[in-house]
C-alpha cells in the first residue's frame, strides 16, 4: 500500500525509449535488475570506500556500501509507505560512476578534467546508466525510468543541468526530487557515517576512547556498557553502531512523517513543488550527525595512514590521465578507436571525456596494474 505522494509505476514519467511493460515485474524492479546485472555494478566490489580493497577482506567496498544503503532505504520506505523498489534501485545505482580509490580518486580525476568540464561521480553514474552500459540491442545504456535516473543525480550545477535534459530540469527550477530520491540520499549518509566508524575501529585508526568524545556515539556507548558486562571490543562496536543507525532511522521516519502529515501532498509532483525537502533529520539529529561527520573527517579521513594511501591514489590517477591524454594510442583499442583527432577544442574535450570514462570505470586493482603496465619498464604487457 503506497501513500498517495509515493512514486508509483502508474504515474512514472517513463523511459527514454518506450518498452513493453513486464508481465511479472514492476518498472522499478526492472530498473533494479538491470543495475544488478550491469558490469559497473560488479566492479563496485573492487572499488574503495575508505580503505583500498587489498588492505583487508572485511572492509567496506563501494558494493557493500551500496547494499547497506539499499537495506536502510527499504526500511525507511516501508515505514513511510513509499516505493521500496524505487529506493532500492536508486541506492544500488548511486555510486556506479565512482572512481577507484574513493573520494581521493574522484578529486584527482576532477582536477585533471577541470579544463574539459570537470568530473563528478553523480553525473558519471547517470552517464553509466544512460550511455556507457551498452549491451542492449534496442537502446543505449540501461534505459532506466525517469524516477531512478532522477534519484541517481543528487547534485548538479546549473551549467551542467542545462545539458542533462529532463533529469537536470529541477536544478534550474529549484524544485525537489521524489521522496524516494530524498530518502536514498539520507540513507547514504546514515550508512557511510556508521560503517566508516566500524571500519576505522577494526583497522585500529580510531579508538573507543576517541569516539566517546563524540556525543552521538557516547550516548549509545554508555547505554551499552550500563546494560551488559564483559563484552568483547567487537560486540561493543556492533552494539553501539546498530543503536546509532536505529536512532537515525527512527528520527528520519518521525520527522519526515510529521512533515508529510502537515503538508498532505496529494501526489508525487506536489512533493517536487514543496518549499523544502520532506525527508529530513530533526534539528537535534542533524546536529549530532554533523558532529560525527566532523569527527570522522578530522580523525579518519585525514589520518596519516589514510592520507598516505589517498595521496598515492591521486598520483596514480593523474599519471594515467596525463599519459592517455598525451598519447591516446595507449588506451585499449575499444577506447582508442573512438578518440577523435586534434582539429578543434571540441575534439579535445571529447578525447578527455573518453579518457575519464575509462579511468572512472577502473577498479583499485586494475588502476594499479595499468599504472605498472605504463610506467614499470619491467612490465612488457
Amino acid at each position: 500500500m503506497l501513500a498517495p505522494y509515493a512514486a508509483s509505476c502508474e504515474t512514472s514519467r517513463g523511459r527514454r525509449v518506450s518498452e513493453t511493460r513486464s508481465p511479472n515485474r514492476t518498472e522499478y524492479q526492472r530498473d533494479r535488475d538491470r543495475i544488478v546485472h550491469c558490469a559497473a555494478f560488479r566492479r563496485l566490489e573492487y572499488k574503495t570506500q575508505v580503505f583500498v580493497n587489498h588492505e583487508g577482506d572485511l572492509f567496506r567496498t563501494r558494493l557493500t556500501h551500496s547494499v547497506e544503503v539499499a537495506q536502510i532505504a527499504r526500511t525507511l520506505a516501508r515505514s513511510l509507505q513509499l516505493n521500496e523498489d524505487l529506493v532500492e534501485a536508486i541506492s544500488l545505482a548511486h555510486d556506479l560512476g565512482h572512481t577507484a580509490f574513493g573520494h581521493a580518486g574522484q578529486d584527482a580525476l576532477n582536477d585533471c578534467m577541470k579544463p574539459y568540464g570537470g568530473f563528478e561521480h553523480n553525473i558519471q553514474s547517470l552517464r553509466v546508466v544512460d550511455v556507457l552500459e551498452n549491451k542492449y540491442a534496442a537502446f543505449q545504456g540501461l534505459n532506466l525510468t525517469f524516477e531512478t535516473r532522477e534519484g541517481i543525480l543528487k547534485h548538479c550545477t546549473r551549467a551542467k543541468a542545462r545539458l542533462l535534459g529532463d533529469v537536470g530540469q529541477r536544478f534550474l527550477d529549484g524544485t525537489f526530487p521524489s521522496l524516494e530520491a530524498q530518502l536514498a540520499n539520507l540513507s547514504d549518509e546514515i550508512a557511510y557515517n556508521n560503517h566508516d566508524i566500524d571500519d576505522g575501529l577494526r583497522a585500529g585508526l580510531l579508538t573507543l576512547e576517541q569516539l566517546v568524545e563524540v556525543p552521538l556515539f557516547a550516548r549509545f556507548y554508555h547505554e551499552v556498557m550500563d546494560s551488559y558486562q564483559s563484552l568483547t571490543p567487537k560486540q561493543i562496536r556492533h552494539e553501539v553502531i546498530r543503536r546509532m543507525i536505529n536512532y537515525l532511522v527512527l528520527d528520519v521516519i518521525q520527522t519526515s512523517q510529521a512533515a508529510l502529515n502537515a503538508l498532505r501532498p496529494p501526489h508525487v509532483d506536489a512533493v517536487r513543488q514543496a518549499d523544502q525537502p520532506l525527508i529530513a533529520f530533526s534539528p537535534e539529529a542533524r546536529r549530532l550527525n554533523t558532529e560525527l561527520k566532523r569527527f570522522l573527517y578530522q580523525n579518519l579521513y585525514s589520518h596519516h595512514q589514510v592520507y598516505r594511501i589517498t595521496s598515492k591514489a591521486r598520483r596514480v590517477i593523474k599519471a594515467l590521465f596525463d599519459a592517455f591524454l598525451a598519447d591516446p594510442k595507449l588506451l585499449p583499442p575499444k577506447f582508442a578507436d573512438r578518440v577523435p583527432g586534434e582539429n578543434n577544442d571540441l575534439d579535445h574535450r571529447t578525447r578527455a571525456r573518453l579518457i575519464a570514462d575509462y579511468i572512472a570505470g577502473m577498479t583499485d586493482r586494475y588502476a594499479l596494474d595499468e599504472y605498472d603496465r605504463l610506467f614499470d619498464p619491467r612490465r612488457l604487457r
Side-chain angles (χ1 to χ4, degrees):
M1 295 292 294
L2 295 179
Y5 40 73
S8 70
C9 293
E10 287 69 28
T11 60
S12 171
R13 297 187 188 181
R15 304 177 187 277
R16 296 199 296 173
V17 177
S18 180
E19 297 183 57
T20 302
R21 292 201 171 192
S22 169
N24 57 350
R25 291 179 296 167
T26 71
E27 292 300 282
Y28 303 137
Q29 285 177 322
R30 290 180 83 184
D31 283 358
R32 177 205 59 202
D33 294 349
R34 289 178 182 183
I35 290 160
V36 168
H37 287 284
C38 78
F41 184 75
R42 294 193 296 274
R43 285 195 293 266
L44 295 179
E45 182 178 1
Y46 299 104
K47 289 191 176 187
T48 292
Q49 182 64 26
V50 173
F51 299 92
V52 175
N53 181 262
H54 64 254
E55 291 186 273
D57 292 340
L58 295 180
F59 295 125
R60 268 71 170 194
T61 65
R62 286 284 158 191
L63 180 62
T64 55
H65 163 68
S66 297
V67 171
E68 291 185 24
V69 173
Q71 177 265 322
I72 292 171
R74 288 194 69 114
T75 297
L76 286 167
R78 181 171 298 187
S79 300
L80 294 169
Q81 291 184 281
L82 301 179
N83 198 306
E84 291 183 57
D85 295 334
L86 176 56
V87 297
E88 183 177 34
I90 295 170
S91 300
L92 294 176
H94 81 283
D95 270 350
L96 290 179
H98 219 298
T99 63
F101 310 125
H103 287 287
Q106 174 183 270
D107 293 344
L109 191 52
N110 183 48
D111 287 342
C112 294
M113 285 292 294
K114 278 181 179 176
Y116 315 105
F119 178 89
E120 210 286 321
H121 86 268
N122 287 302
I123 296 177
Q124 188 70 13
S125 294
L126 187 66
R127 183 168 167 81
V128 167
V129 300
D130 283 354
V131 179
L132 300 180
E133 283 287 338
N134 195 16
K135 62 181 181 180
Y136 291 93
F139 47 77
Q140 191 175 28
L142 302 181
N143 198 35
L144 303 181
T145 60
F146 168 85
E147 290 75 22
T148 299
R149 296 170 62 240
E150 173 189 50
I152 291 172
L153 190 64
K154 295 191 297 185
H155 312 292
C156 186
T157 64
R158 290 179 63 85
K160 292 180 180 178
R162 293 188 183 96
L163 305 174
L164 296 175
D166 53 0
V167 289
Q169 190 60 42
R170 68 183 174 89
F171 297 98
L172 304 177
D173 297 341
T175 55
F176 296 100
S178 69
L179 294 174
E180 286 81 1
Q182 296 178 36
L183 189 154
N185 189 23
L186 270 192
S187 299
D188 182 26
E189 188 169 337
I190 293 171
Y192 70 67
N193 281 344
N194 285 279
H195 66 47
D196 287 354
I197 290 175
D198 192 20
D199 283 349
L201 285 168
R202 181 183 288 113
L205 304 188
L206 299 177
T207 66
L208 291 175
E209 289 73 22
Q210 286 177 297
L211 280 160
V212 293
E213 300 298 320
V214 181
L216 180 59
F217 188 92
R219 174 186 299 188
F220 297 107
Y221 174 80
H222 294 304
E223 179 182 294
V224 168
M225 300 309 289
D226 290 343
S227 301
Y228 299 97
Q229 304 294 321
S230 304
L231 294 179
T232 66
K234 178 180 179 179
Q235 289 173 316
I236 294 171
R237 184 174 75 235
H238 175 73
E239 289 292 337
V240 175
I241 290 172
R242 76 184 188 91
R243 283 168 170 77
M244 290 170 61
I245 293 174
N246 189 58
Y247 164 76
L248 293 171
V249 166
L250 290 176
D251 181 86
V252 170
I253 292 170
Q254 293 165 3
T255 304
S256 304
Q257 192 63 67
L260 290 165
N261 290 343
L263 184 63
R264 293 188 178 277
H267 46 71
V268 66
D269 284 334
V271 167
R272 294 187 168 98
Q273 300 295 330
D275 293 334
Q276 60 186 2
L278 298 174
I279 304 296
F281 291 122
S282 67
E284 181 190 15
R286 187 185 310 114
R287 176 182 60 81
L288 292 170
N289 200 50
T290 299
E291 291 173 347
L292 175 60
K293 288 167 68 175
R294 186 180 302 116
F295 169 86
L296 288 171
Y297 180 81
Q298 294 171 348
N299 295 278
L300 181 61
Y301 309 140
S302 300
H303 191 283
H304 173 68
Q305 286 182 229
V306 174
Y307 182 80
R308 285 179 65 123
I309 294 296
T310 56
S311 177
K312 184 186 299 184
R314 290 188 187 97
R315 293 195 299 273
V316 168
I317 296 295
K318 185 178 187 308
L320 290 174
F321 184 89
D322 289 346
F324 293 135
L325 190 66
D327 186 359
K329 292 180 181 179
L330 293 172
L331 290 164
K334 69 176 182 178
F335 285 89
D337 292 345
R338 295 161 52 202
V339 173
E342 300 187 27
N343 297 327
N344 54 52
D345 289 342
L346 180 61
D347 288 343
H348 206 58
R349 290 171 68 92
T350 302
R351 183 164 62 255
R353 185 59 59 187
L354 286 170
I355 292 168
D357 288 341
Y358 177 51
I359 293 176
M362 294 179 178
T363 63
D364 296 2
R365 181 171 55 193
Y366 186 90
L368 293 171
D369 284 346
E370 188 75 330
Y371 181 89
D372 285 345
R373 283 190 288 266
L374 287 176
F375 301 109
D376 187 344
R378 295 167 295 180
R379 289 285 297 269
L380 300 179
R381 299 180 59 185

